[in-house]
Amino acid sequence: MKPGSNRGASDRGVTVVISSKVREGREEEYRRWQQEINESMRSFAGFEGAEAYPPIPGEQPSWVSVFRFSDIARLTGWLNSESRRVLLDEVRPLLEEPPALEVLAGRTPGSEAVTAVISHNVRPGREGDFTRWQDRLHRAEERFPGFLGFEAFAPVPGIQPHWVVMTRFDTREHLENWLASDTRRKLLDEGRDCVVDFDVRTVKSAFGGWFRFGGGAAGEGVPPNWKQAMCVLLALYPTVMALNLTVSRVLSGAGLPLYLVLFIGNVLSVAILTWVLMPLVNRAFAAWLRPDVPRSFLAGAAGALVIVLCYALSIAVFAVITR
């Protein structure tokens, strides 16, 4: 397994992926329950976000929920909480079997891709053989069309006893080509000595980004592209202007070449957008951005008009500043 494929939980937080098979006819009840647990989690320290994806016929048989926490300790606090226990008691009659839970400690999946989440029950004492076998699988899948990434997550003591591997491809077809390939089948035969069993679940969606609204159906958790573009521009223009008037001038005055000044400016712009401005924009325009909230055409147009007025205000402010 390549170095760095599974870093400590304190490095970049922890993500929990929960797969649940909902009984036929109980989908609406489960959807309401999912909203309840999302709301309940907001009060827990370290909670960073949640997403939910319903089944896709022929592709994803289970509901998949993704929860993000800042570290293992805070995740453990939620897993052992009384409020979660009560909610689990409520959902039990809605499920065909107990939900499967994977803890991805140290990374937050971030690729806009089709992802296979594979849980492995590794034989005691064979962990070294397992990691070497995963290395061979990884080198093989890298040669397949559409491959985007691979991440491996070691067991989390006291929470999760099995290894979890995530494989991402750009399309469902490319992922299926790999999963059904003779190459993978031969490698699976090689690994049977070190693995008792394994379970594969596929999620057709992104795990995050600047726009995240949990609880919606697949594809409904992300606003339309035109709304995303309007909001990004709202945050991007003042960021770029402010940096050009401050940091870029200082760096240029210090004699740095233009290409380096632009690179540093871009790094700062992305950082400010990701961790400061886009979360603020998301909260300010949440009612307009959320795709799962019904609204009239006039309400949608009013939201767009408000953003256009914000553009005008931002332009006017910088027009005064740069005179």
Side-chain angles (χ1 to χ4, degrees):
M1 202 165 295
K2 291 186 177 180
S5 63
N6 187 26
R7 296 183 289 179
S10 61
D11 190 7
R12 287 187 58 187
V14 57
T15 298
V16 184
V17 180
I18 301 177
S19 303
S20 306
K21 291 186 178 180
V22 179
R23 296 182 187 276
E24 187 174 355
R26 310 298 293 271
E27 293 83 5
E28 283 306 315
E29 294 173 80
Y30 181 84
R31 194 188 298 271
R32 288 192 293 271
W33 177 86
Q34 184 71 55
Q35 292 172 348
E36 285 182 33
I37 197 169
N38 288 351
E39 288 301 320
S40 170
M41 293 174 71
R42 296 184 194 282
S43 62
F44 279 81
F47 174 70
E48 295 183 347
E51 298 163 29
Y53 307 102
I56 302 174
E59 297 187 5
Q60 178 184 306
S62 303
W63 279 79
V64 176
S65 303
V66 182
F67 304 113
R68 289 176 295 278
F69 280 81
S70 59
D71 54 60
I72 282 288
R74 286 172 171 153
L75 167 64
T76 303
W78 172 68
L79 290 175
N80 296 330
S81 67
E82 178 65 17
S83 60
R84 179 174 179 265
R85 187 193 64 76
V86 171
L87 285 165
L88 288 179
D89 289 341
E90 291 179 8
V91 79
R92 198 166 286 118
L94 308 180
L95 304 181
E96 293 183 2
E97 58 188 41
L101 180 148
E102 277 87 30
V103 178
L104 314 180
R107 291 192 181 208
T108 299
S111 178
E112 307 247 343
V114 183
T115 305
V117 181
I118 309 172
S119 305
H120 299 80
N121 185 7
V122 179
R123 297 184 190 278
R126 303 296 299 275
E127 291 80 7
D129 294 333
F130 173 78
T131 57
R132 287 188 288 272
W133 173 57
Q134 284 296 318
D135 248 349
R136 294 197 298 274
L137 275 166
H138 178 41
R139 288 195 296 270
E141 67 184 351
E142 281 183 320
R143 297 193 292 268
F144 275 67
F147 175 75
L148 294 178
F150 164 93
E151 292 166 281
F153 302 88
V156 180
I159 297 179
Q160 172 185 283
H162 48 263
W163 286 77
V164 179
V165 172
M166 298 183 64
T167 296
R168 288 189 291 276
F169 281 77
D170 59 351
T171 66
R172 176 74 187 193
E173 292 73 22
H174 283 152
L175 174 60
E176 290 292 350
N177 287 343
W178 159 245
L179 293 177
S181 67
D182 290 336
T183 301
R184 180 172 179 268
R185 190 176 300 112
K186 291 175 182 176
L187 286 166
L188 290 180
D189 289 338
E190 293 178 14
R192 295 195 188 281
D193 288 341
C194 60
V195 175
V196 178
D197 55 40
F198 64 90
D199 182 41
V200 181
R201 281 178 298 279
T202 304
V203 182
K204 185 182 180 181
S205 78
F207 281 96
W210 280 341
F211 300 91
R212 287 189 274 203
F213 298 96
E220 294 179 351
V222 179
N225 288 338
W226 66 272
K227 288 187 177 183
Q228 295 185 43
M230 289 189 72
C231 287
V232 170
L233 179 59
L234 179 63
L236 180 63
Y237 173 72
T239 301
V240 172
M241 285 297 297
L243 289 174
N244 282 341
L245 294 173
T246 55
V247 175
S248 294
R249 287 187 178 180
V250 171
L251 295 177
S252 297
L256 267 67
L258 177 61
Y259 63 85
L260 191 54
V261 172
L262 289 176
F263 175 77
I264 295 172
N266 286 337
V267 170
L268 292 174
S269 296
V270 171
I272 292 169
L273 286 174
T274 301
W275 289 292
V276 181
L277 292 185
M278 289 312 302
L280 293 176
V281 171
N282 279 340
R283 286 197 291 271
F285 292 95
W288 182 69
L289 284 168
R290 287 187 66 100
D292 58 336
V293 177
R295 62 179 61 83
S296 65
F297 171 79
L298 289 178
L305 179 60
V306 169
I307 291 185
V308 170
L309 292 175
C310 290
Y311 292 161
L313 177 61
S314 184
I315 292 170
V317 168
F318 283 106
V320 172
I321 292 174
T322 55
R323 278 179 183 170

